[in-house]
Amino acid sequence: MIRLQKLLIIFSILILCIDRVTATTASSDHDYTYFDSGCCNSRAPTTYTNASSAIVRSKTPAVSDCAVWSKESVVSDCVIWSKECSGEILRIAKLPETVEWLKGIRRRIHEFPELAFEEFNTSRLIRRELDQMDISYRHPLAKTGIRATIGTGGPPFVAVRADMDALPIQEAVEWEYKSKVAGKMHACGHDAHVAMLLGAARILKTREHHLKGTVVLVFQPAEEAGNGAKRMMGDGALEDVEAIFAVHVSHEHPTSIIGSRPGPLLAGCGFFRAVINGKQGDAGSPQRSVDPVLAASAAVISLQGIVSREANPLDSQVVSVTSFNGGDGLDKIADTVVLGGTFRAFSNTSFYQLLQRIEEVIVEQAGVFRCSATVDFFEKEYTIYPPTVNDEGMYEHVRKVAIDLFGPTNFRVVPPMMGAEDFSFYSQVVPAAFFYIGVRNETLGSVHTGHSPYFMIDEDALPMGAAAHAAIAERYLNERSR
């Protein structure tokens, strides 16, 4: 009897072990551990996104049949890009906690603006957020800049850039988060650009397992007349990068409308300062002087003929004299006149032709009136910006990503503009695309253009910009790997 009981116990143990092995095998074959326990009731799996230092649970869209659920059927693996991939990125960007976090980032930067190459606190804030997202980075580049990476760590490498610097403008907008630094303001939206790129970082980090390469996040100082892009490249910001993208807020378009164009988008921009020297004398005896005012006046008139008589009318160019300073005595002919201005063109050929002719006209007109002249184009200060030219393939990539995310009515082909951007330095080195995101909202008063003391933005564009950056980068790697 005792022997029979022992046999029964051994048999029961064997059955139990077999059941456990079977259960373990089933679990490894069909991993449902990432679903909620009540998945068949809610029909929605749980995903996780990193919200600053907190982990936030969020629901993905419902699926049709719990009986056939698996990781592959619920969440697209995006081996082949689809609208579902775009939709998931947009869903994460529009989560209430993501939107509030984006606004918080932008507002903190807006309250404490920093000028070119002085963005120390802004850079510190960015690095703190990257640390909380467990994103690796290199710092400093170009004094305050950052190069962060998300993905496999290997090729291909695609970059997305945001500028960080503010302007020497006193903010006139009265709101809770008005600039707390006298005489400084984020009057061109760079605070929004940083928030959008950090938002993209957050989205991409949650989808890092989908990345088929490496996304490089470039946080750049000194876009405003500082040529931070050139110094970032000198410090290795574009190392291994094969394409780069960037966005700029625009009051030309309603909130969240995306705009771009292939080819020339923004003009090349240069500045000049001419010193014309003559001989001082009494105004009552002009024959005893050499009048630089007359020479400078002739030069200003002659400069207008460069565009009107030398340039192709279909090739838009600008030469503008914006300053003219001579003597201050009413009875004296000055010995020196200083004049200056700016010039713009949409191709490098036209741009450097303008530069050459401006110098020739000023020097030679000065000679006609027995004066001498020198012209400075500030090349040592890196204030010459080449044209921003969108690569046709990269533009097309932005266009299809925007249409997938926001629909065909929310993308516009925009005309070229005479404004300038130091993103142009990147576009000279690798295929690039620059695009706009609308922030115009008459109800909010968001109607003033950049560099205005009344500049403000519609913050509803922030999650859309973050989604656009993330989708552009992830989809580029996806399609590049095929």
Side-chain angles (χ1 to χ4, degrees):
M1 188 67 176
I2 293 174
R3 184 177 296 176
L4 180 60
Q5 288 176 338
K6 287 182 178 179
L7 287 172
L8 287 171
I9 290 169
I10 292 169
F11 182 77
S12 298
I13 291 171
L14 286 171
I15 293 295
L16 181 61
C17 289
I18 291 169
D19 285 344
R20 287 183 176 177
V21 169
T22 304
T24 301
T25 304
S27 176
S28 63
D29 290 342
H30 306 283
D31 183 10
Y32 299 106
T33 56
Y34 83 146
F35 293 110
D36 283 340
S37 58
C39 68
C40 288
N41 293 325
S42 64
R43 298 197 173 192
T46 299
T47 59
Y48 296 88
T49 60
N50 189 342
S52 295
S53 59
I55 299 296
V56 179
R57 294 166 65 95
S58 59
K59 296 293 183 179
T60 58
V63 295
S64 58
D65 187 359
C66 191
V68 295
W69 272 8
S70 69
K71 278 185 178 179
E72 289 73 21
S73 65
V74 175
V75 180
S76 170
D77 59 9
C78 294
V79 171
I80 297 176
W81 194 267
S82 66
K83 276 199 170 184
E84 286 72 24
C85 304
S86 298
E88 178 62 12
I89 287 173
L90 186 58
R91 184 195 67 79
I92 297 171
K94 293 170 72 174
L95 288 170
E97 56 267 27
T98 304
V99 174
E100 289 308 305
W101 175 76
L102 285 168
K103 289 180 180 179
I105 293 288
R106 185 252 164 174
R107 291 169 179 177
R108 289 203 299 277
I109 296 172
H110 189 88
E111 286 184 293
F112 300 99
E114 298 170 300
L115 302 182
F117 295 119
E118 298 175 2
E119 310 92 338
F120 297 104
N121 290 323
T122 304
S123 179
R124 190 176 298 114
L125 180 152
I126 293 167
R127 297 196 309 274
R128 183 174 68 245
E129 295 296 332
L130 294 173
D131 287 336
Q132 291 177 346
M133 289 185 269
D134 195 27
I135 294 173
S136 60
Y137 55 83
R138 282 169 47 196
H139 168 270
L141 284 73
K143 200 170 184 179
T144 59
I146 302 161
R147 172 188 155 123
T149 54
I150 307 172
T152 65
F157 290 80
V158 61
V160 190
R161 169 269 207 172
D163 38 17
M164 304 186 293
D165 55 321
L167 286 159
I169 294 174
Q170 179 64 45
E171 182 166 8
V173 182
E174 296 299 332
W175 68 306
E176 185 179 354
Y177 301 98
K178 180 179 179 178
S179 170
K180 289 180 168 57
V181 183
K184 298 179 185 180
M185 176 189 178
H186 272 289
C188 202
H190 297 187
D191 50 347
H193 300 167
V194 171
M196 290 175 187
L197 190 53
L198 280 173
R202 178 172 168 178
I203 295 167
L204 291 167
K205 188 63 179 178
T206 67
R207 296 176 57 80
E208 192 167 25
H209 57 291
H210 289 304
L211 299 180
K212 297 174 173 59
T214 305
V215 179
V216 177
L217 310 173
V218 177
F219 295 93
Q220 177 207 307
E223 187 278 327
E224 302 285 359
N227 279 243
K230 206 166 188 177
R231 287 184 57 175
M232 287 289 285
M233 288 192 297
D235 286 349
L238 290 192
E239 183 179 332
D240 299 319
V241 168
E242 62 178 52
I244 187 168
F245 301 88
V247 71
H248 202 295
V249 295
S250 170
H251 287 82
E252 298 290 325
H253 311 293
T255 298
S256 300
I257 295 291
I258 302 295
S260 191
R261 68 176 293 106
L265 177 68
L266 292 165
C269 172
F271 300 92
F272 64 92
R273 179 179 180 271
V275 179
I276 299 176
N277 295 302
K279 179 183 176 183
Q280 190 180 54
D282 291 331
S285 302
Q287 74 278 10
R288 296 175 182 172
S289 66
V290 177
D291 191 350
V293 174
L294 184 59
S297 299
V300 171
I301 297 300
S302 296
L303 287 172
Q304 309 313 305
I306 297 175
V307 173
S308 67
R309 288 298 176 265
E310 298 180 21
N312 185 333
L314 301 179
D315 180 12
S316 298
Q317 300 175 32
V318 168
V319 175
S320 293
V321 177
T322 58
S323 69
F324 191 111
N325 297 289
D328 54 8
L330 299 182
D331 62 347
K332 293 287 184 182
I333 291 175
D335 62 351
T336 301
V337 170
V338 179
L339 62 87
T342 184
F343 58 104
R344 314 284 171 107
F346 283 108
S347 73
N348 279 320
T349 300
S350 298
F351 182 80
Y352 284 101
Q353 177 68 13
L354 285 180
L355 185 151
Q356 176 185 332
R357 290 294 293 135
I358 288 168
E359 183 170 25
E360 289 174 352
V361 166
I362 293 174
V363 170
E364 291 174 15
Q365 279 293 344
V368 169
F369 294 90
R370 298 179 296 146
C371 294
S372 62
T374 58
V375 184
D376 183 6
F377 292 98
F378 307 104
E379 292 172 281
K380 291 181 180 179
E381 288 82 11
Y382 303 112
T383 56
I384 288 181
Y385 290 62
T388 300
V389 180
N390 279 345
D391 176 87
E392 292 200 11
M394 298 306 103
Y395 157 78
E396 179 59 27
H397 180 69
V398 169
R399 188 191 69 83
K400 66 186 179 183
V401 167
I403 289 173
D404 250 17
L405 277 173
F406 310 125
T409 60
N410 291 315
F411 178 83
R412 297 177 181 176
V413 179
V414 300
M417 293 178 62
M418 278 294 173
E421 242 281 351
D422 81 343
F423 183 79
S424 56
F425 289 106
Y426 300 123
S427 72
Q428 288 189 316
V429 177
V430 296
F434 193 78
F435 62 101
Y436 304 116
I437 185 166
V439 291
R440 185 177 185 86
N441 185 324
E442 288 85 353
T443 303
L444 294 177
S446 179
V447 296
H448 299 280
T449 59
H451 297 220
S452 163
Y454 297 98
F455 177 91
M456 63 182 297
I457 72 164
D458 182 354
E459 291 183 324
D460 285 350
L462 296 176
M464 305 308 178
H469 274 328
I472 284 169
E474 183 180 333
R475 186 169 179 176
Y476 178 89
L477 296 177
N478 180 287
E479 296 177 353
R480 178 71 174 76
S481 67
R482 284 190 284 159

